[in-house]
Amino acid sequence: MVEIYLFVNPLDELCLLSEKRFLEAIEKENNKVYLKLIPVLNPLIIQHYLIDNNYPTNDLTHRNQLVETIYSACLDVKAAQLQGNKMGRKFLFHLQDLVGKKKMAYSEELVDTILTKINADKETFKLDRQSKLIKDFFKIDQQVANEMGVNRFAKAVIFNYDSTRNFGVLIDAFSSSDLIKQLLKSEDTHSCRAKILKY
């Protein structure tokens, strides 16, 4: 069995591409592979995101607006995930496509449109979205990201329980398909070049 934790920006097109790459790799596997899509947000990740995208790092208004928008989208994703992983994934993909790829403005109206499109239970979503439980789940996700050393969007940690490794491997989600395939194989792969996390 393989577990993949993929840490993403819920409003980013590149993260959407990385998610699709992992899903394609998983479809070709005979082993059971569980993919967990985790929206993340913390000051270090935002700092790297601003630098990586050539945004000014000293514009506090822009930074605060960005943090607020991504935080809201993260909570939306968590609320959608409560209706099942498949529903959560559909919601995330549509959100990233419309905001990240098609450059539509993130808003409650856009979220409502996506919920309609994917046939989600809107009333349940609204109740869940306002609950303390969603914020608690979000905090747990951030703790997991911190423990795994995630400091940028689109990072993945792969635990392959069918190999002789007893630790997870942290890689960039845009790593080569060959590296991803290698880490999903049953046999041990000490030759791969990736940061290793031991638990």
Side-chain angles (χ1 to χ4, degrees):
M1 185 185 84
V2 178
E3 263 186 320
I4 302 172
Y5 293 78
L6 185 53
F7 299 90
V8 299
N9 176 345
L11 300 175
D12 185 67
E13 179 188 5
L14 291 177
C15 286
L16 173 61
L17 293 174
S18 74
E19 291 150 20
K20 288 182 175 177
R21 286 181 71 237
F22 272 89
L23 285 172
E24 285 170 12
I26 289 168
E27 282 174 12
K28 295 171 186 172
E29 281 299 307
N30 294 324
N31 292 343
K32 274 192 177 179
V33 182
Y34 296 97
L35 176 64
K36 298 180 181 182
L37 299 174
I38 302 177
V40 288
L41 178 67
N42 66 42
L44 183 57
I45 286 175
I46 287 296
Q47 180 69 8
H48 283 151
Y49 181 74
L50 291 170
I51 293 168
D52 292 344
N53 289 279
N54 297 314
Y55 294 133
T57 56
N58 56 356
D59 184 341
L60 290 182
T61 302
H62 178 255
R63 181 190 290 262
N64 290 339
Q65 194 173 37
L66 183 66
V67 168
E68 198 175 297
T69 305
I70 294 175
Y71 174 67
S72 182
C74 285
L75 297 184
D76 289 338
V77 172
K78 297 312 296 177
Q81 286 175 340
L82 281 187
Q83 295 188 35
N85 287 333
K86 195 172 179 181
M87 188 66 75
R89 190 177 295 165
K90 276 186 190 177
F91 178 85
L92 176 63
F93 288 179
H94 276 85
L95 187 60
Q96 290 169 322
D97 179 61
L98 294 176
V99 177
K101 187 176 180 181
K102 295 177 179 165
K103 307 303 177 192
M104 293 177 71
Y106 168 79
S107 66
E108 285 185 23
E109 291 75 23
L110 182 67
V111 168
D112 190 69
T113 299
I114 294 170
L115 293 171
T116 300
K117 194 168 187 178
I118 65 174
N119 295 316
D121 184 329
K122 288 189 189 181
E123 291 307 311
T124 300
F125 176 88
K126 285 174 186 173
L127 289 171
D128 289 338
R129 178 65 174 76
Q130 294 166 5
S131 71
K132 180 181 178 292
L133 184 65
I134 289 299
K135 291 179 181 176
D136 290 343
F137 283 152
F138 173 76
K139 285 177 187 174
I140 290 168
D141 284 349
Q142 307 325 297
Q143 288 168 1
V144 169
N146 185 52
E147 287 168 10
M148 292 186 178
V150 174
N151 59 13
R152 272 183 165 86
F153 289 122
K155 292 285 185 180
V157 178
I158 300 174
F159 290 91
N160 188 336
Y161 301 106
D162 296 325
S163 74
T164 58
R165 292 187 304 272
N166 60 352
F167 48 80
V169 179
L170 173 66
I171 64 170
D172 188 281
F174 302 104
S175 296
S176 72
S177 296
D178 288 342
L179 175 60
I180 294 169
K181 286 176 193 171
Q182 192 179 15
L183 292 169
L184 298 181
K185 283 183 183 175
S186 295
E187 64 268 23
D188 199 9
T189 52
H190 287 297
S191 62
C192 65
R193 294 183 180 180
K195 182 176 177 183
I196 293 172
L197 301 176
K198 294 185 180 180
Y199 291 97

